[in-house]
Structures are given as structure tokens and as C-alpha cells.
Amino acid sequence: MSQGLILYGPPASGKDTVTQALTELDSRYTQFARLKVGSGKSAGYRMGSAEQLLRLEAAGGVIYANHRYGNTYVIDRPGVDAAFEAGVPVVHLGQVDGIRALVDGYAADWAVVLLWCPKAVTAQRSAGRGDSDTAARLAAWEATREDVDGHRNVVWDLTVDTSVRSAEESARLIDQLLVHRAGAATA
């Protein structure tokens, strides 16, 4: 069964940075570019239209969609298919419902990693990278904290505090997890 990786965490917890370190460690890792319907930042996304989203929904191609910052972010079946063809997809999520939808809705060996950092670190990182919506990101941090607290039954395959571990160290830990899971699956 193909391996996939879900990185879950609040804004500025290091999902992009750790994914970059993973791709530098092993080129099999590729960040899944969600379909984004809306405006704003386009880097790391496949920009789409409302009409495209409606067609995907009608065809049963939407695995999960969420709305944040005035945009719609979509994990779509054709996109995930293409990501698996390219290697080991790394999917960024900030909602436990998204994890469940992906794990239950797309057959693969999904490793689920919680990347975490304190709220003050999110504020510092967001300001440091020039986000114009830091207040919204801090509200999303709170929503993520509530999401984690409300889903105590979620089992994380690994939890990494990115305020105390470097991106490179985090990537090595995640890579070791996936190598171990692959070995266990073939044993």
C-alpha cells in the first residue's frame, strides 16, 4: 500500500518548513498542493474556480474541503492520485475532520504527525514572515487547539514541538517513522 503523510498543526507550526526539510532529505516527499478557490497567497496551491469546485463535487472528486481566511481549500481525488504518482504526498491540514476524511476516504498507509508550537511562537513566526492576517492566524491557532482538545481520541503517529526541534531534526524523525512503518508493513 502506498505511503502518505499528513502534517497537522496550527498556522506557523512549521508545516511548510518541515516539508521543505523532508524534500531535501528525500526527493520522494512532495507537498500536496491543495486546490484553492479564492484569493490571496497562491504559492503552494493549485488555484481553481468556483465552477471547477462544483464539477469536482458533482463527480465525487472532493475528499475534503474547508473554508478559512475567506477561501475554500480542497483535497481532491485527482490531485491526490497525481501526488501519489509523484512520490510520497505530504498533506497539510489544520482540522481533525480533514484527517478523518482523508484517512477514511483515500486508501493508503497514512502517517499522521502533529506539529505543534505555542501560540506566541505562531504570532512571532507569522509576523516574521510578513503575514497581513496574523490576527486571523492566531484565531486559527485557537481553533486548532480546540480541535485537538475536542478530539482526544485521535492517535498521532508522532508529535513534534517545532519550537524546540529544528526543521531538519523534525524531518529526520518523520522520515524514520515512515521507514519504520514501511518495514513493518513488509515484515
Side-chain angles (χ1 to χ4, degrees), residues 67-81:
H67 310 282
R68 189 166 273 169
Y69 313 122
N71 299 300
T72 301
Y73 300 89
V74 180
I75 298 174
D76 62 305
R77 190 166 306 283
V80 176
D81 289 343

Side-chain angles (χ1 to χ4, degrees), residues 1-185:
M1 182 175 283
S2 297
Q3 279 191 311
L5 174 62
I6 298 170
L7 296 181
Y8 173 91
S13 61
K15 294 181 290 290
D16 288 331
T17 306
V18 169
T19 299
Q20 180 62 39
L22 277 166
T23 61
E24 290 171 4
L25 183 65
D26 189 328
S27 62
R28 293 177 308 128
Y29 294 109
T30 57
Q31 182 173 342
F32 173 72
R34 283 183 288 168
L35 182 65
K36 179 179 178 181
V37 178
S39 61
K41 177 183 164 186
S42 61
Y45 297 102
R46 294 174 291 129
M47 298 303 288
S49 66
E51 295 78 20
Q52 182 181 8
L53 178 55
L54 288 172
R55 285 192 302 273
L56 271 172
E57 289 172 335
V62 173
I63 298 170
Y64 178 73
N66 71 295
H67 310 282
R68 189 166 273 169
Y69 313 122
N71 299 300
T72 301
Y73 300 89
V74 180
I75 298 174
D76 62 305
R77 190 166 306 283
V80 176
D81 289 343
F84 271 107
E85 288 175 17
V88 177
V90 181
V91 180
H92 297 179
L93 282 167
Q95 305 81 26
V96 170
D97 288 343
I99 294 170
R100 288 196 175 124
L102 186 53
V103 169
D104 294 343
Y106 197 97
D109 177 22
W110 292 104
V112 182
V113 175
L114 172 61
L115 297 182
W116 197 258
C117 66
K119 186 176 179 181
V121 172
T122 288
Q124 179 185 27
R125 289 176 179 170
S126 181
R129 65 187 189 193
D131 291 340
S132 61
D133 58 353
T134 296
R137 293 181 186 279
L138 293 175
W141 187 98
E142 289 290 345
T144 305
R145 170 86 270 163
E146 291 171 13
D147 198 28
V148 169
D149 290 346
H151 293 91
R152 295 265 182 211
N153 58 341
V154 173
V155 177
W156 308 106
D157 295 305
L158 179 66
T159 299
V160 180
D161 183 340
T162 62
S163 69
V164 297
R165 293 195 186 271
S166 70
E168 295 75 20
E169 184 180 8
S170 300
R172 282 191 300 277
L173 290 170
I174 293 166
D175 182 61
Q176 289 170 2
L177 168 69
L178 268 70
V179 167
H180 174 75
R181 287 171 68 103

